Amino acid sequence: RKEVEQDPGPFNVPEGATVAFNCTYSNSASQSFFWYRQDCRKEPKLLMSVYSSGNEDGRFTAQLNRASQYISLLIRDSKLSDSATYLCVVRIASGGSYIPTFGRGTSLIVHP
Amino acid sequence: DTGVSQDPRHKITKRGQNVTFRCDPISEHNRLYWYRQTLGQGPEFLTYFQNEAQLEKSRLLSDRFSAERPKGSFSTLEIQRTEQGDSAMYLCASSASGGTNTEAFFGQGTRLTVV
């Protein structure tokens, strides 16, 4: 079983739609959770950190459920420019370090 | 440009040759990571440095791979006797110290093609 799992999609949605992605992680001792965005043939860039109480940044809302070991990302009012791959990242304990560990990403395509 | 810099951006090499990639992290960042990414997959962790110390290595990292960060600044990743399966994007990331919630910033990557 992979340490961080995501549905690869693609999620194909019209402009203005609301779309949600989930990500599950296997290590209950994981600390720190993030969503990164990666455009085609570009490097990953931080979209938002995920806090225990949940957090919102404009049209984006992230939630963490430690009991069920999953993270979610909700995008409201989708824009064409939201088309990208969304990577779930969990810092997982390895030795004395916490290593950012990536899921395989969920592809989002927003169409007119 | 004060971001993470990687060199070269692209490398084509023949099977069996050695290649070396360089990463210059953001100057005040003491944590440095190497990842490998293939099409349709997320970045896979290879190795981690804190300052000049290599603290973690993935089981994915075979004996043909070696990484250094001699002065705690730039890092190099060498692949010896390259194989076609080594073809991938090699990404470097850096982050500041100060807990586990710090953001990792990525370079643009080195795309390796082994022919």
Side-chain angles (χ1 to χ4, degrees), chain A residues 2 31-32 34 36 38 41 43-44 46 49 51 87 91 94-100 102-104, chain B residues 31 33 35 37 40-43 45 48 55-56 89 91 95 100-108 111:
Chain A
K2 287 201 165 187
Q31 292 192 4
S32 305
F34 309 86
Y36 274 69
Q38 186 171 29
R41 304 185 77 83
E43 74 274 22
L46 179 70
S49 301
Y51 302 117
L87 296 160
R91 279 193 183 261
S94 178
S97 307
Y98 283 86
I99 304 300
F102 287 74
R104 66 178 293 182
Chain B
R31 296 173 178 171
Y33 308 86
Y35 290 84
Q37 187 174 26
Q41 301 297 318
F45 169 71
Y48 162 59
L55 297 186
E56 292 297 326
M89 175 73 85
L91 291 162
S95 68
T100 58
N101 212 39
T102 53
E103 175 185 355
F105 292 83
F106 281 83
Q108 292 181 299
R111 184 171 296 281

mmCIF file of all heavy atoms in Angstrom, chain A residues 2 31-32 34 36 38 41 43-44 46 49 51 87 91 94-100 102-104, chain B residues 31 33 35 37 40-43 45 48 55-56 89 91 95 100-108 111:
data_model
loop_
_atom_site.group_PDB
_atom_site.id
_atom_site.type_symbol
_atom_site.label_atom_id
_atom_site.label_comp_id
_atom_site.label_asym_id
_atom_site.label_seq_id
_atom_site.Cartn_x
_atom_site.Cartn_y
_atom_site.Cartn_z
ATOM 1 N N LYS A 2 0.558 2.205 -0.869
ATOM 2 C CA LYS A 2 1.334 3.437 -0.925
ATOM 3 C C LYS A 2 1.054 4.275 0.319
ATOM 4 O O LYS A 2 -0.032 4.236 0.882
ATOM 5 C CB LYS A 2 0.971 4.224 -2.176
ATOM 6 C CG LYS A 2 1.531 3.613 -3.455
ATOM 7 C CD LYS A 2 1.607 4.634 -4.551
ATOM 8 C CE LYS A 2 2.487 4.129 -5.662
ATOM 9 N NZ LYS A 2 2.735 5.152 -6.674
ATOM 10 N N GLN A 31 2.921 14.160 10.152
ATOM 11 C CA GLN A 31 2.770 15.543 10.574
ATOM 12 C C GLN A 31 2.803 16.414 9.343
ATOM 13 O O GLN A 31 3.535 16.161 8.427
ATOM 14 C CB GLN A 31 3.924 15.937 11.499
ATOM 15 C CG GLN A 31 3.911 15.252 12.823
ATOM 16 C CD GLN A 31 4.893 15.887 13.791
ATOM 17 O OE1 GLN A 31 5.519 16.881 13.493
ATOM 18 N NE2 GLN A 31 5.022 15.295 14.954
ATOM 19 N N SER A 32 2.023 17.437 9.356
ATOM 20 C CA SER A 32 2.021 18.462 8.309
ATOM 21 C C SER A 32 1.506 17.926 6.991
ATOM 22 O O SER A 32 1.966 16.889 6.485
ATOM 23 C CB SER A 32 3.407 19.068 8.098
ATOM 24 O OG SER A 32 3.906 19.557 9.307
ATOM 25 N N PHE A 34 -0.155 19.170 3.041
ATOM 26 C CA PHE A 34 -0.155 20.257 2.070
ATOM 27 C C PHE A 34 -0.862 19.811 0.801
ATOM 28 O O PHE A 34 -0.908 18.623 0.481
ATOM 29 C CB PHE A 34 1.291 20.642 1.675
ATOM 30 C CG PHE A 34 2.217 20.907 2.830
ATOM 31 C CD1 PHE A 34 2.905 19.861 3.435
ATOM 32 C CD2 PHE A 34 2.419 22.194 3.296
ATOM 33 C CE1 PHE A 34 3.771 20.095 4.495
ATOM 34 C CE2 PHE A 34 3.278 22.436 4.359
ATOM 35 C CZ PHE A 34 3.957 21.389 4.954
ATOM 36 N N TYR A 36 -0.197 20.738 -3.209
ATOM 37 C CA TYR A 36 0.622 21.409 -4.210
ATOM 38 C C TYR A 36 -0.106 21.337 -5.539
ATOM 39 O O TYR A 36 -0.860 20.405 -5.812
ATOM 40 C CB TYR A 36 1.991 20.725 -4.349
ATOM 41 C CG TYR A 36 3.037 21.202 -3.373
ATOM 42 C CD1 TYR A 36 2.924 20.921 -2.016
ATOM 43 C CD2 TYR A 36 4.150 21.922 -3.803
ATOM 44 C CE1 TYR A 36 3.887 21.359 -1.112
ATOM 45 C CE2 TYR A 36 5.121 22.353 -2.910
ATOM 46 C CZ TYR A 36 4.980 22.069 -1.565
ATOM 47 O OH TYR A 36 5.934 22.492 -0.682
ATOM 48 N N GLN A 38 0.618 21.321 -9.743
ATOM 49 C CA GLN A 38 1.666 21.148 -10.752
ATOM 50 C C GLN A 38 1.045 21.304 -12.135
ATOM 51 O O GLN A 38 0.147 20.540 -12.513
ATOM 52 C CB GLN A 38 2.353 19.781 -10.630
ATOM 53 C CG GLN A 38 3.548 19.624 -11.558
ATOM 54 C CD GLN A 38 4.343 18.359 -11.277
ATOM 55 O OE1 GLN A 38 3.810 17.365 -10.808
ATOM 56 N NE2 GLN A 38 5.645 18.389 -11.574
ATOM 57 N N ARG A 41 4.525 19.863 -17.216
ATOM 58 C CA ARG A 41 5.951 20.053 -17.459
ATOM 59 C C ARG A 41 6.552 21.195 -16.631
ATOM 60 O O ARG A 41 7.571 21.770 -17.005
ATOM 61 C CB ARG A 41 6.227 20.266 -18.948
ATOM 62 C CG ARG A 41 5.703 19.135 -19.820
ATOM 63 C CD ARG A 41 6.082 19.315 -21.263
ATOM 64 N NE ARG A 41 7.473 18.970 -21.514
ATOM 65 C CZ ARG A 41 7.915 17.736 -21.724
ATOM 66 N NH1 ARG A 41 7.085 16.730 -21.684
ATOM 67 N NH2 ARG A 41 9.180 17.522 -21.951
ATOM 68 N N GLU A 43 7.366 22.584 -12.356
ATOM 69 C CA GLU A 43 7.616 22.068 -11.021
ATOM 70 C C GLU A 43 6.387 22.234 -10.130
ATOM 71 O O GLU A 43 5.560 23.134 -10.346
ATOM 72 C CB GLU A 43 8.833 22.774 -10.396
ATOM 73 C CG GLU A 43 8.591 24.203 -9.929
ATOM 74 C CD GLU A 43 8.770 25.226 -11.036
ATOM 75 O OE1 GLU A 43 8.684 24.884 -12.234
ATOM 76 O OE2 GLU A 43 8.981 26.405 -10.689
ATOM 77 N N PRO A 44 6.269 21.417 -9.084
ATOM 78 C CA PRO A 44 5.162 21.597 -8.134
ATOM 79 C C PRO A 44 5.315 22.907 -7.357
ATOM 80 O O PRO A 44 6.430 23.321 -7.019
ATOM 81 C CB PRO A 44 5.313 20.400 -7.179
ATOM 82 C CG PRO A 44 6.188 19.431 -7.890
ATOM 83 C CD PRO A 44 7.096 20.246 -8.763
ATOM 84 N N LEU A 46 3.431 25.176 -4.015
ATOM 85 C CA LEU A 46 2.495 25.081 -2.906
ATOM 86 C C LEU A 46 1.196 25.807 -3.225
ATOM 87 O O LEU A 46 1.199 26.965 -3.619
ATOM 88 C CB LEU A 46 3.115 25.683 -1.642
ATOM 89 C CG LEU A 46 2.216 25.652 -0.414
ATOM 90 C CD1 LEU A 46 2.043 24.212 0.085
ATOM 91 C CD2 LEU A 46 2.787 26.541 0.693
ATOM 92 N N SER A 49 -1.276 24.979 2.748
ATOM 93 C CA SER A 49 -1.079 24.036 3.838
ATOM 94 C C SER A 49 -2.458 23.600 4.333
ATOM 95 O O SER A 49 -3.462 24.270 4.076
ATOM 96 C CB SER A 49 -0.302 24.696 4.972
ATOM 97 O OG SER A 49 0.954 25.143 4.523
ATOM 98 N N TYR A 51 -4.520 22.644 7.767
ATOM 99 C CA TYR A 51 -4.474 22.710 9.216
ATOM 100 C C TYR A 51 -5.576 21.853 9.824
ATOM 101 O O TYR A 51 -6.610 21.596 9.195
ATOM 102 C CB TYR A 51 -4.585 24.162 9.682
ATOM 103 C CG TYR A 51 -3.489 25.035 9.121
ATOM 104 C CD1 TYR A 51 -3.776 26.098 8.276
ATOM 105 C CD2 TYR A 51 -2.151 24.773 9.419
ATOM 106 C CE1 TYR A 51 -2.774 26.890 7.745
ATOM 107 C CE2 TYR A 51 -1.150 25.554 8.885
ATOM 108 C CZ TYR A 51 -1.455 26.612 8.047
ATOM 109 O OH TYR A 51 -0.453 27.380 7.523
ATOM 110 N N LEU A 87 -1.418 17.765 -6.143
ATOM 111 C CA LEU A 87 -0.622 16.768 -5.421
ATOM 112 C C LEU A 87 -0.850 16.908 -3.924
ATOM 113 O O LEU A 87 -0.706 17.999 -3.360
ATOM 114 C CB LEU A 87 0.867 16.978 -5.718
ATOM 115 C CG LEU A 87 1.315 16.770 -7.162
ATOM 116 C CD1 LEU A 87 2.639 17.468 -7.417
ATOM 117 C CD2 LEU A 87 1.434 15.290 -7.468
ATOM 118 N N ARG A 91 4.012 15.011 5.379
ATOM 119 C CA ARG A 91 5.351 14.817 5.964
ATOM 120 C C ARG A 91 5.307 13.560 6.829
ATOM 121 O O ARG A 91 4.622 13.524 7.851
ATOM 122 C CB ARG A 91 5.776 16.016 6.787
ATOM 123 C CG ARG A 91 6.319 17.161 5.930
ATOM 124 C CD ARG A 91 7.023 18.194 6.775
ATOM 125 N NE ARG A 91 7.484 19.328 6.003
ATOM 126 C CZ ARG A 91 8.731 19.484 5.581
ATOM 127 N NH1 ARG A 91 9.639 18.573 5.866
ATOM 128 N NH2 ARG A 91 9.074 20.557 4.883
ATOM 129 N N SER A 94 10.610 9.470 8.964
ATOM 130 C CA SER A 94 11.578 8.510 8.432
ATOM 131 C C SER A 94 12.865 8.725 9.202
ATOM 132 O O SER A 94 13.531 9.749 9.025
ATOM 133 C CB SER A 94 11.785 8.746 6.938
ATOM 134 O OG SER A 94 12.751 7.857 6.417
ATOM 135 N N GLY A 95 13.202 7.773 10.051
ATOM 136 C CA GLY A 95 14.317 8.002 10.953
ATOM 137 C C GLY A 95 13.964 9.165 11.854
ATOM 138 O O GLY A 95 12.895 9.201 12.436
ATOM 139 N N GLY A 96 14.840 10.125 11.951
ATOM 140 C CA GLY A 96 14.540 11.288 12.778
ATOM 141 C C GLY A 96 13.982 12.455 11.993
ATOM 142 O O GLY A 96 13.806 13.539 12.546
ATOM 143 N N SER A 97 13.684 12.230 10.716
ATOM 144 C CA SER A 97 13.252 13.321 9.856
ATOM 145 C C SER A 97 11.803 13.131 9.432
ATOM 146 O O SER A 97 11.257 12.039 9.535
ATOM 147 C CB SER A 97 14.128 13.368 8.601
ATOM 148 O OG SER A 97 15.489 13.413 8.944
ATOM 149 N N TYR A 98 11.214 14.216 8.995
ATOM 150 C CA TYR A 98 9.873 14.149 8.417
ATOM 151 C C TYR A 98 9.991 14.527 6.953
ATOM 152 O O TYR A 98 10.254 15.677 6.622
ATOM 153 C CB TYR A 98 8.916 15.084 9.162
ATOM 154 C CG TYR A 98 8.477 14.510 10.487
ATOM 155 C CD1 TYR A 98 9.234 14.689 11.635
ATOM 156 C CD2 TYR A 98 7.318 13.743 10.570
ATOM 157 C CE1 TYR A 98 8.833 14.138 12.846
ATOM 158 C CE2 TYR A 98 6.912 13.192 11.771
ATOM 159 C CZ TYR A 98 7.675 13.380 12.904
ATOM 160 O OH TYR A 98 7.277 12.829 14.099
ATOM 161 N N ILE A 99 9.769 13.561 6.093
ATOM 162 C CA ILE A 99 10.021 13.731 4.672
ATOM 163 C C ILE A 99 8.732 14.062 3.942
ATOM 164 O O ILE A 99 7.731 13.334 4.099
ATOM 165 C CB ILE A 99 10.629 12.442 4.082
ATOM 166 C CG1 ILE A 99 11.907 12.055 4.833
ATOM 167 C CG2 ILE A 99 10.861 12.585 2.594
ATOM 168 C CD1 ILE A 99 13.007 13.087 4.782
ATOM 169 N N PRO A 100 8.699 15.141 3.145
ATOM 170 C CA PRO A 100 7.513 15.409 2.323
ATOM 171 C C PRO A 100 7.311 14.278 1.331
ATOM 172 O O PRO A 100 8.174 14.031 0.480
ATOM 173 C CB PRO A 100 7.868 16.729 1.620
ATOM 174 C CG PRO A 100 8.983 17.318 2.411
ATOM 175 C CD PRO A 100 9.744 16.165 2.972
ATOM 176 N N PHE A 102 4.761 12.523 -1.508
ATOM 177 C CA PHE A 102 3.735 12.939 -2.450
ATOM 178 C C PHE A 102 2.828 11.796 -2.857
ATOM 179 O O PHE A 102 3.278 10.661 -3.023
ATOM 180 C CB PHE A 102 4.396 13.493 -3.721
ATOM 181 C CG PHE A 102 5.022 14.842 -3.550
ATOM 182 C CD1 PHE A 102 6.209 15.000 -2.861
ATOM 183 C CD2 PHE A 102 4.417 15.962 -4.076
ATOM 184 C CE1 PHE A 102 6.787 16.249 -2.695
ATOM 185 C CE2 PHE A 102 4.981 17.219 -3.926
ATOM 186 C CZ PHE A 102 6.168 17.359 -3.238
ATOM 187 N N GLY A 103 1.558 12.120 -3.074
ATOM 188 C CA GLY A 103 0.680 11.227 -3.800
ATOM 189 C C GLY A 103 0.967 11.338 -5.290
ATOM 190 O O GLY A 103 1.781 12.168 -5.718
ATOM 191 N N ARG A 104 0.297 10.509 -6.085
ATOM 192 C CA ARG A 104 0.567 10.552 -7.514
ATOM 193 C C ARG A 104 -0.103 11.713 -8.212
ATOM 194 O O ARG A 104 0.181 11.993 -9.375
ATOM 195 C CB ARG A 104 0.142 9.236 -8.172
ATOM 196 C CG ARG A 104 -1.338 8.971 -8.163
ATOM 197 C CD ARG A 104 -1.673 7.660 -8.873
ATOM 198 N NE ARG A 104 -1.375 7.774 -10.298
ATOM 199 C CZ ARG A 104 -1.602 6.814 -11.172
ATOM 200 N NH1 ARG A 104 -2.110 5.672 -10.770
ATOM 201 N NH2 ARG A 104 -1.313 6.971 -12.441
ATOM 202 N N ARG B 31 17.529 22.764 4.533
ATOM 203 C CA ARG B 31 17.029 21.442 4.151
ATOM 204 C C ARG B 31 16.980 21.346 2.635
ATOM 205 O O ARG B 31 16.499 22.255 1.963
ATOM 206 C CB ARG B 31 15.622 21.209 4.717
ATOM 207 C CG ARG B 31 15.567 21.179 6.231
ATOM 208 C CD ARG B 31 14.129 21.111 6.702
ATOM 209 N NE ARG B 31 14.035 21.031 8.155
ATOM 210 C CZ ARG B 31 12.894 21.133 8.831
ATOM 211 N NH1 ARG B 31 11.756 21.303 8.179
ATOM 212 N NH2 ARG B 31 12.890 21.058 10.147
ATOM 213 N N TYR B 33 16.148 18.460 -0.638
ATOM 214 C CA TYR B 33 15.579 17.164 -1.021
ATOM 215 C C TYR B 33 15.795 16.931 -2.519
ATOM 216 O O TYR B 33 15.728 17.866 -3.319
ATOM 217 C CB TYR B 33 14.070 17.151 -0.772
ATOM 218 C CG TYR B 33 13.627 17.566 0.614
ATOM 219 C CD1 TYR B 33 13.427 18.914 0.921
ATOM 220 C CD2 TYR B 33 13.394 16.625 1.611
ATOM 221 C CE1 TYR B 33 13.012 19.312 2.181
ATOM 222 C CE2 TYR B 33 12.971 17.018 2.882
ATOM 223 C CZ TYR B 33 12.783 18.351 3.156
ATOM 224 O OH TYR B 33 12.363 18.745 4.405
ATOM 225 N N TYR B 35 14.109 14.497 -5.583
ATOM 226 C CA TYR B 35 12.995 13.650 -5.963
ATOM 227 C C TYR B 35 13.168 13.240 -7.419
ATOM 228 O O TYR B 35 13.841 13.917 -8.198
ATOM 229 C CB TYR B 35 11.658 14.400 -5.843
ATOM 230 C CG TYR B 35 11.207 14.693 -4.430
ATOM 231 C CD1 TYR B 35 11.670 15.813 -3.753
ATOM 232 C CD2 TYR B 35 10.305 13.858 -3.776
ATOM 233 C CE1 TYR B 35 11.247 16.098 -2.463
ATOM 234 C CE2 TYR B 35 9.880 14.125 -2.476
ATOM 235 C CZ TYR B 35 10.357 15.250 -1.831
ATOM 236 O OH TYR B 35 9.942 15.524 -0.547
ATOM 237 N N GLN B 37 10.595 12.106 -10.748
ATOM 238 C CA GLN B 37 9.203 12.077 -11.171
ATOM 239 C C GLN B 37 9.119 11.538 -12.591
ATOM 240 O O GLN B 37 9.817 12.008 -13.482
ATOM 241 C CB GLN B 37 8.560 13.465 -11.103
ATOM 242 C CG GLN B 37 7.059 13.453 -11.381
ATOM 243 C CD GLN B 37 6.409 14.809 -11.171
ATOM 244 O OE1 GLN B 37 7.048 15.852 -11.270
ATOM 245 N NE2 GLN B 37 5.097 14.811 -10.860
ATOM 246 N N GLY B 40 2.873 10.828 -15.106
ATOM 247 C CA GLY B 40 1.675 10.301 -14.469
ATOM 248 C C GLY B 40 1.835 9.944 -13.008
ATOM 249 O O GLY B 40 0.900 9.428 -12.388
ATOM 250 N N GLN B 41 3.020 10.185 -12.472
ATOM 251 C CA GLN B 41 3.285 9.876 -11.062
ATOM 252 C C GLN B 41 3.649 11.145 -10.310
ATOM 253 O O GLN B 41 4.088 12.130 -10.909
ATOM 254 C CB GLN B 41 4.428 8.875 -10.941
ATOM 255 C CG GLN B 41 4.189 7.556 -11.657
ATOM 256 C CD GLN B 41 3.017 6.795 -11.076
ATOM 257 O OE1 GLN B 41 2.844 6.727 -9.852
ATOM 258 N NE2 GLN B 41 2.190 6.225 -11.941
ATOM 259 N N GLY B 42 3.482 11.097 -8.995
ATOM 260 C CA GLY B 42 3.966 12.193 -8.183
ATOM 261 C C GLY B 42 5.469 12.071 -7.961
ATOM 262 O O GLY B 42 6.064 11.035 -8.260
ATOM 263 N N PRO B 43 6.092 13.111 -7.467
ATOM 264 C CA PRO B 43 7.520 13.037 -7.156
ATOM 265 C C PRO B 43 7.806 11.943 -6.123
ATOM 266 O O PRO B 43 7.105 11.853 -5.114
ATOM 267 C CB PRO B 43 7.833 14.426 -6.595
ATOM 268 C CG PRO B 43 6.774 15.322 -7.162
ATOM 269 C CD PRO B 43 5.550 14.466 -7.248
ATOM 270 N N PHE B 45 10.503 10.438 -3.439
ATOM 271 C CA PHE B 45 11.626 10.889 -2.621
ATOM 272 C C PHE B 45 12.864 10.034 -2.889
ATOM 273 O O PHE B 45 12.789 8.799 -2.954
ATOM 274 C CB PHE B 45 11.248 10.788 -1.138
ATOM 275 C CG PHE B 45 12.396 10.972 -0.198
ATOM 276 C CD1 PHE B 45 12.977 12.219 -0.025
ATOM 277 C CD2 PHE B 45 12.913 9.888 0.508
ATOM 278 C CE1 PHE B 45 14.042 12.394 0.852
ATOM 279 C CE2 PHE B 45 13.971 10.051 1.386
ATOM 280 C CZ PHE B 45 14.540 11.310 1.556
ATOM 281 N N TYR B 48 17.623 13.233 1.321
ATOM 282 C CA TYR B 48 17.407 14.460 2.089
ATOM 283 C C TYR B 48 18.685 14.864 2.806
ATOM 284 O O TYR B 48 19.364 14.023 3.409
ATOM 285 C CB TYR B 48 16.281 14.218 3.100
ATOM 286 C CG TYR B 48 16.187 15.197 4.247
ATOM 287 C CD1 TYR B 48 16.006 16.556 4.020
ATOM 288 C CD2 TYR B 48 16.259 14.760 5.577
ATOM 289 C CE1 TYR B 48 15.909 17.456 5.079
ATOM 290 C CE2 TYR B 48 16.155 15.644 6.637
ATOM 291 C CZ TYR B 48 15.984 16.992 6.387
ATOM 292 O OH TYR B 48 15.881 17.878 7.431
ATOM 293 N N LEU B 55 20.759 12.842 5.684
ATOM 294 C CA LEU B 55 20.072 12.191 6.794
ATOM 295 C C LEU B 55 19.162 11.048 6.370
ATOM 296 O O LEU B 55 18.894 10.148 7.170
ATOM 297 C CB LEU B 55 19.256 13.220 7.578
ATOM 298 C CG LEU B 55 20.054 14.340 8.260
ATOM 299 C CD1 LEU B 55 19.148 15.207 9.124
ATOM 300 C CD2 LEU B 55 21.190 13.769 9.102
ATOM 301 N N GLU B 56 18.660 11.093 5.150
ATOM 302 C CA GLU B 56 17.751 10.045 4.712
ATOM 303 C C GLU B 56 18.020 9.684 3.257
ATOM 304 O O GLU B 56 18.315 10.569 2.432
ATOM 305 C CB GLU B 56 16.283 10.485 4.837
ATOM 306 C CG GLU B 56 15.773 10.672 6.256
ATOM 307 C CD GLU B 56 15.799 9.391 7.067
ATOM 308 O OE1 GLU B 56 15.573 8.299 6.488
ATOM 309 O OE2 GLU B 56 16.058 9.473 8.286
ATOM 310 N N MET B 89 12.225 13.030 -14.648
ATOM 311 C CA MET B 89 12.526 14.395 -14.228
ATOM 312 C C MET B 89 13.108 14.302 -12.817
ATOM 313 O O MET B 89 12.505 13.669 -11.939
ATOM 314 C CB MET B 89 11.257 15.242 -14.211
ATOM 315 C CG MET B 89 11.464 16.640 -13.667
ATOM 316 S SD MET B 89 12.347 17.690 -14.817
ATOM 317 C CE MET B 89 10.970 18.265 -15.820
ATOM 318 N N LEU B 91 13.943 16.345 -9.584
ATOM 319 C CA LEU B 91 13.558 17.605 -8.948
ATOM 320 C C LEU B 91 14.312 17.789 -7.644
ATOM 321 O O LEU B 91 14.478 16.857 -6.863
ATOM 322 C CB LEU B 91 12.058 17.600 -8.637
ATOM 323 C CG LEU B 91 11.107 17.642 -9.834
ATOM 324 C CD1 LEU B 91 9.709 17.201 -9.423
ATOM 325 C CD2 LEU B 91 11.059 19.044 -10.418
ATOM 326 N N SER B 95 13.903 23.776 1.823
ATOM 327 C CA SER B 95 13.019 24.426 2.787
ATOM 328 C C SER B 95 13.838 24.925 3.963
ATOM 329 O O SER B 95 14.966 24.469 4.210
ATOM 330 C CB SER B 95 11.916 23.473 3.268
ATOM 331 O OG SER B 95 12.446 22.435 4.058
ATOM 332 N N THR B 100 7.938 21.248 11.043
ATOM 333 C CA THR B 100 7.567 20.400 9.909
ATOM 334 C C THR B 100 6.580 21.079 8.977
ATOM 335 O O THR B 100 6.237 20.542 7.941
ATOM 336 C CB THR B 100 6.929 19.094 10.414
ATOM 337 O OG1 THR B 100 5.785 19.418 11.210
ATOM 338 C CG2 THR B 100 7.918 18.301 11.252
ATOM 339 N N ASN B 101 6.126 22.285 9.327
ATOM 340 C CA ASN B 101 5.094 22.909 8.514
ATOM 341 C C ASN B 101 5.664 23.888 7.494
ATOM 342 O O ASN B 101 4.937 24.685 6.925
ATOM 343 C CB ASN B 101 4.091 23.629 9.417
ATOM 344 C CG ASN B 101 2.695 23.610 8.810
ATOM 345 O OD1 ASN B 101 2.268 22.617 8.236
ATOM 346 N ND2 ASN B 101 2.003 24.726 8.907
ATOM 347 N N THR B 102 6.970 23.826 7.300
ATOM 348 C CA THR B 102 7.573 24.768 6.366
ATOM 349 C C THR B 102 7.417 24.259 4.942
ATOM 350 O O THR B 102 7.533 23.075 4.659
ATOM 351 C CB THR B 102 9.054 24.964 6.679
ATOM 352 O OG1 THR B 102 9.688 23.697 6.744
ATOM 353 C CG2 THR B 102 9.236 25.691 7.995
ATOM 354 N N GLU B 103 7.207 25.206 4.047
ATOM 355 C CA GLU B 103 6.979 24.896 2.634
ATOM 356 C C GLU B 103 8.267 24.468 1.967
ATOM 357 O O GLU B 103 9.332 25.032 2.225
ATOM 358 C CB GLU B 103 6.435 26.143 1.947
ATOM 359 C CG GLU B 103 6.261 26.033 0.440
ATOM 360 C CD GLU B 103 5.836 27.350 -0.182
ATOM 361 O OE1 GLU B 103 5.592 28.319 0.567
ATOM 362 O OE2 GLU B 103 5.762 27.408 -1.427
ATOM 363 N N ALA B 104 8.170 23.479 1.087
ATOM 364 C CA ALA B 104 9.296 23.088 0.246
ATOM 365 C C ALA B 104 9.142 23.771 -1.110
ATOM 366 O O ALA B 104 8.076 23.714 -1.724
ATOM 367 C CB ALA B 104 9.347 21.573 0.073
ATOM 368 N N PHE B 105 10.199 24.431 -1.543
ATOM 369 C CA PHE B 105 10.214 25.123 -2.829
ATOM 370 C C PHE B 105 11.001 24.267 -3.822
ATOM 371 O O PHE B 105 12.111 23.816 -3.519
ATOM 372 C CB PHE B 105 10.894 26.491 -2.702
ATOM 373 C CG PHE B 105 10.121 27.468 -1.868
ATOM 374 C CD1 PHE B 105 10.234 27.454 -0.480
ATOM 375 C CD2 PHE B 105 9.289 28.406 -2.455
ATOM 376 C CE1 PHE B 105 9.527 28.359 0.307
ATOM 377 C CE2 PHE B 105 8.589 29.316 -1.683
ATOM 378 C CZ PHE B 105 8.702 29.290 -0.305
ATOM 379 N N PHE B 106 10.446 24.110 -5.008
ATOM 380 C CA PHE B 106 11.058 23.247 -6.003
ATOM 381 C C PHE B 106 11.779 24.044 -7.075
ATOM 382 O O PHE B 106 11.361 25.150 -7.440
ATOM 383 C CB PHE B 106 9.993 22.380 -6.685
ATOM 384 C CG PHE B 106 9.582 21.201 -5.866
ATOM 385 C CD1 PHE B 106 8.621 21.330 -4.871
ATOM 386 C CD2 PHE B 106 10.154 19.950 -6.068
ATOM 387 C CE1 PHE B 106 8.242 20.247 -4.096
ATOM 388 C CE2 PHE B 106 9.791 18.864 -5.300
ATOM 389 C CZ PHE B 106 8.834 19.014 -4.316
ATOM 390 N N GLY B 107 12.845 23.448 -7.584
ATOM 391 C CA GLY B 107 13.453 23.929 -8.800
ATOM 392 C C GLY B 107 12.673 23.431 -10.005
ATOM 393 O O GLY B 107 11.727 22.644 -9.873
ATOM 394 N N GLN B 108 13.093 23.867 -11.178
ATOM 395 C CA GLN B 108 12.372 23.510 -12.400
ATOM 396 C C GLN B 108 12.716 22.108 -12.891
ATOM 397 O O GLN B 108 12.098 21.617 -13.818
ATOM 398 C CB GLN B 108 12.645 24.540 -13.486
ATOM 399 C CG GLN B 108 12.029 25.894 -13.160
ATOM 400 C CD GLN B 108 12.288 26.916 -14.251
ATOM 401 O OE1 GLN B 108 13.435 27.240 -14.557
ATOM 402 N NE2 GLN B 108 11.241 27.424 -14.842
ATOM 403 N N ARG B 111 15.501 17.237 -16.711
ATOM 404 C CA ARG B 111 14.861 16.117 -17.411
ATOM 405 C C ARG B 111 15.957 15.255 -18.038
ATOM 406 O O ARG B 111 16.703 15.727 -18.899
ATOM 407 C CB ARG B 111 13.906 16.612 -18.482
ATOM 408 C CG ARG B 111 13.146 15.477 -19.181
ATOM 409 C CD ARG B 111 12.041 16.001 -20.076
ATOM 410 N NE ARG B 111 11.002 16.696 -19.328
ATOM 411 C CZ ARG B 111 10.042 16.094 -18.649
ATOM 412 N NH1 ARG B 111 9.959 14.781 -18.602
ATOM 413 N NH2 ARG B 111 9.133 16.821 -18.005
#
